[in-house]
Amino acid sequence: DGGITQSPKYLFRKEGQNVTLSCEQNLNHDAMYWYRQDPGQGLRLIYYSQIVNDFQKGDIAEGYSVSREKKESFPLTVTSAQKNPTAFYLCASSRGQLNSPLHFGNGTRLTVT
Amino acid sequence: AQSVTQLGSHVSVSEGALVLLRCNYSSSVPPYLFWYVQYPNQGLQLLLKYTTGATLVKGINGFEAEFKKSETSFHLTKPSAHMSDAAEYFCAVSLTGTASKLTFGTGTRLQVTL
């Protein structure tokens, strides 16, 4: 079955360390997205990519970086510059066309201490 | 600019009772509206969407929503709640129809009791 795989499900890091979250899709979707979810808040867009080798900042890109070297993969790096990195991170993809729905992975819960 | 407000962060209903989750939006142009559901420790799944045309939209799992322009609302309903409906529900709005411009509400957690 096609879908989006995020790994790992839980991730623990010490403050000051960079950490990379994996996101792989086999839906043949052009567009991919990273969201951050905090308790009591909606999803906030970190970065998105509509095509390979191109990506744009979302609403809260500071302290994060991404790459899109392959259509299937869109890894997110949480850098030490991110002041409050502990959160639930969701990766999504879509066909990129008008009104195309988002398909989500099951998320990675990052805890930084 | 666009925004979306979900009234009630927690809603509790009895099994078999009507489910009503409220969503109001603010938009300067006709919006595209979505409802997503999130089960614990999982990603979001699309329930239904309104783009153009019929204002009553039917989705998966027996849910439906009605776009009311005069009230700037897109409330989600289900006639009879089931225990499996317990989850968090997110309303989202986009002015352009593109996911990169999607604004999510803060979510409503639905509890279903026996």
Side-chain angles (χ1 to χ4, degrees):
Chain A
D1 287 341
I4 299 179
T5 301
Q6 289 188 243
S7 61
K9 190 172 181 63
Y10 299 96
L11 192 53
F12 298 88
R13 280 294 182 269
K14 294 290 187 184
E15 194 173 316
Q17 294 178 334
N18 291 355
V19 59
T20 297
L21 283 59
S22 170
C23 177
E24 303 279 332
Q25 56 102 355
N26 60 4
L27 298 167
N28 199 33
H29 284 170
D30 289 316
M32 297 187 74
Y33 311 81
W34 274 105
Y35 289 91
R36 170 179 172 140
Q37 185 177 21
D38 295 283
Q41 299 191 37
L43 276 66
R44 292 181 291 168
L45 183 63
I46 304 173
Y47 268 98
Y48 65 99
S49 167
Q50 295 177 310
I51 196 169
V52 174
N53 292 322
D54 187 43
F55 49 82
Q56 283 77 42
K57 293 181 179 180
D59 300 319
I60 56 166
E62 185 175 350
Y64 300 97
S65 66
V66 293
S67 63
R68 185 88 187 275
E69 297 177 1
K70 298 187 302 181
K71 187 175 184 178
E72 302 79 18
S73 179
F74 191 42
L76 173 74
T77 296
V78 184
T79 74
S80 56
Q82 168 51 232
K83 295 179 181 177
N84 296 298
T86 295
F88 189 50
Y89 291 88
L90 287 163
C91 179
S93 71
S94 76
R95 289 200 180 97
Q97 299 165 355
L98 193 67
N99 298 323
S100 296
L102 290 169
H103 296 255
F104 284 85
N106 284 332
T108 292
R109 189 167 299 279
L110 173 65
T111 302
V112 177
T113 58
Chain B
Q2 63 192 41
S3 65
V4 60
T5 302
Q6 291 185 243
L7 297 175
S9 58
H10 289 83
V11 170
S12 182
V13 301
S14 301
E15 191 173 35
L18 171 72
V19 175
L20 171 60
L21 304 182
R22 300 179 186 273
C23 173
N24 288 89
Y25 67 89
S26 173
S27 169
S28 55
V29 298
Y32 299 88
L33 296 158
F34 306 81
W35 275 101
Y36 283 86
V37 60
Q38 183 180 32
Y39 297 100
N41 295 314
Q42 292 188 24
L44 279 69
Q45 179 184 5
L46 180 69
L47 272 178
L48 50 81
K49 66 178 181 181
Y50 169 78
T51 54
T52 58
T55 56
L56 182 62
V57 181
K58 295 187 183 299
I60 61 172
N61 301 338
F63 284 94
E64 61 182 36
E66 187 171 9
F67 170 60
K68 291 188 176 180
K69 184 178 179 181
S70 60
E71 298 178 8
T72 60
S73 69
F74 192 55
H75 302 330
L76 182 71
T77 61
K78 182 174 180 178
S80 177
H82 191 272
M83 296 296 288
S84 61
D85 294 327
E88 189 152 23
Y89 292 80
F90 291 91
C91 182
V93 60
S94 172
L95 296 186
T96 62
T98 55
S100 61
K101 302 299 181 186
L102 202 58
T103 299
F104 285 88
T106 53
T108 297
R109 186 168 297 280
L110 176 65
Q111 181 183 17
V112 182
T113 59
L114 288 172

